[in-house]
Each structure stands twice: as C-alpha cells, then as structure tokens.
Amino acid sequence: MLNRLAEQMQAFRPRRVRWVMPEAAVLIPVTESDDPSIILTRRADHMKTHSGQVAFPGGKRDAEDIDLQSTALREAQEEIGLNPDQVRLLNPLSDVVSLHGIKVTPFVGLVPAELQLQPCEAELDAIFHVPVSWLLQDPRSHTDVIRVADTTYYVPSFPFGEYTIWGLSAMMLVELLQVGFNMDVDLHHKPAGKLIEHPVRLFPPDAFK
C-alpha cells in the first residue's frame, strides 16, 4: 500500500494558487506499517484561533524558513516533537486556501509506526492516529457544501471518536485518499447523504491554476 502511495504521489502534479497571499504549510504524517494511519492533532481550547479544531501539524511560514517544506517540518517538530530526520517526504498535495485568506501547502511524509510524540501544550491538547483503512470506507456523517466563487466543493465531515475531521483538513485528506490510495472520492461531485450549505467565499477567478 505504501509503495503504491509513494509511486502515485511522485507522479502527481498538484494545483498551485497563483494569487499572492500569506503562506503556511502542514505535514500529513503517514505511518509506515501494514495498516498505516495518519497522524492528526487537536488545537487547545485556549488558542485564539481554531481552538478545539482537528488539524495537521503546521503553521505560517517564518522569514527564516527557506521554503514551505521547511515550514512543515519545523512546525511538526515544534508541535508534536517529530524529528525531521524521521520523515521521508513525498510530493506535496494541492494548495488550499483558508477562510482567513492563507494559502496552505500540505506535504505528505512517511514516518516510523512507533513514535514517541508529545503535543506542545501551548498549542495542542491531543495527538491521535486515524487508520487509512477506516477512512477508505468513507465514514462521513455529512458533507459540507462550500462555494468558492463559482466552484462548489463537497467536503466530508468524519467523526472519529471524540474528534471531528472537517474543513481544510478533510479537503487535504480527500485528495490524499484519491491520489495516493485510489479511493473513489471527489470534492467536486455531489455525494449521497446529508448536505450542509455554507456561505459563498469570494476569490479572484485567476487565483488557481
């Protein structure tokens, strides 16, 4: 499964955002095992932004970061104690744009299955693993309908125990599952089940390519 993931990520050509905006990067860690899982975090309740939300380790690009890959690895080390030397990076996924107008680039990385990770208490209250096999069943509770200019996205919401994976994190997961694991899922096709509509978000028509 992971060999196929690496091969298909290598051949993948992600979409890039052309519009100039603040940049951020996240790391999507995939454990190297027969039953791989994806590592996510939950932001602490005391955080001023995105408190209590599930996310991948990551954050805004610092002036000292030589590139966005460096941002993703630095943030993962700061937030969950993941040593960059333990990450085998694959190609990045497509850029996504947050509600706050930040361009986020997701980097996929393979990491050892047995890791001693520690959440940064100033930012996180949990680190947890979600099996890829569980996600491949598409266990969504509903789908958020998000319109960006004239494009409609159907974003799944995944309830996993006490956690809910939704929004940008779910969008990144969908592309990873589609590109890396051949899952029949797509952000642009209306799925069956419950739909929840959200307000239209406006960006310039030439923002994406």
Side-chain angles (χ1 to χ4, degrees), residues 120-159:
C120 172
E121 295 182 359
E123 298 185 37
L124 307 175
D125 65 15
I127 300 170
F128 63 101
H129 292 62
V130 180
V132 172
S133 57
W134 181 80
L135 289 165
L136 291 173
Q137 300 173 41
D138 198 351
R140 71 181 73 193
S141 59
H142 67 272
T143 300
D144 292 307
V145 183
I146 301 173
R147 293 184 171 84
V148 181
D150 59 352
T151 302
T152 300
Y153 296 92
Y154 296 97
V155 184
S157 181
F158 299 118

Side-chain angles (χ1 to χ4, degrees), residues 12-208:
F12 178 59
R13 295 295 176 264
R15 291 187 312 130
R16 291 287 164 249
V17 172
R18 297 173 59 185
W19 202 27
V20 177
M21 60 179 70
E23 294 180 310
V26 301
L27 180 68
I28 303 180
V30 181
T31 61
E32 295 189 279
S33 64
D34 293 336
D35 185 18
S37 62
I38 295 172
I39 300 173
L40 292 110
T41 71
R42 183 172 62 193
R43 291 176 63 81
D45 288 336
H46 63 258
M47 295 295 290
K48 293 182 179 179
T49 59
H50 310 299
S51 61
Q53 291 186 12
V54 165
F56 295 108
K60 290 183 179 179
R61 181 176 184 173
D62 283 352
E64 295 78 13
D65 295 334
I66 60 173
D67 52 28
L68 288 169
Q69 173 180 303
S70 300
T71 301
L73 292 173
R74 174 183 56 76
E75 288 282 347
Q77 185 169 31
E78 293 175 0
E79 291 186 3
I80 64 174
L82 177 58
N83 190 317
D85 292 338
Q86 294 180 299
V87 183
R88 179 159 67 96
L89 282 172
L90 307 179
N91 273 3
L93 295 171
S94 299
D95 294 338
V96 293
V97 178
S98 76
L99 282 171
H100 301 286
I102 298 173
K103 179 180 70 174
V104 184
T105 302
F107 290 85
V108 180
L110 298 178
V111 300
E114 302 298 330
L115 285 173
Q116 298 298 318
L117 301 175
Q118 182 65 39
C120 172
E121 295 182 359
E123 298 185 37
L124 307 175
D125 65 15
I127 300 170
F128 63 101
H129 292 62
V130 180
V132 172
S133 57
W134 181 80
L135 289 165
L136 291 173
Q137 300 173 41
D138 198 351
R140 71 181 73 193
S141 59
H142 67 272
T143 300
D144 292 307
V145 183
I146 301 173
R147 293 184 171 84
V148 181
D150 59 352
T151 302
T152 300
Y153 296 92
Y154 296 97
V155 184
S157 181
F158 299 118
F160 184 75
E162 62 183 286
Y163 310 105
T164 301
I165 308 166
W166 62 285
L168 254 64
S169 296
M171 293 176 73
M172 298 173 196
L173 274 178
V174 165
E175 187 169 70
L176 174 62
L177 294 168
Q178 180 187 44
V179 172
F181 297 98
N182 296 322
M183 182 176 174
D184 185 16
V185 63
D186 194 317
L187 291 172
H188 302 287
H189 288 85
K190 182 178 179 180
K194 181 180 179 182
L195 303 176
I196 296 181
E197 299 274 346
H198 292 266
V200 176
R201 297 163 57 187
L202 299 177
F203 290 100
D206 61 345
F208 301 92

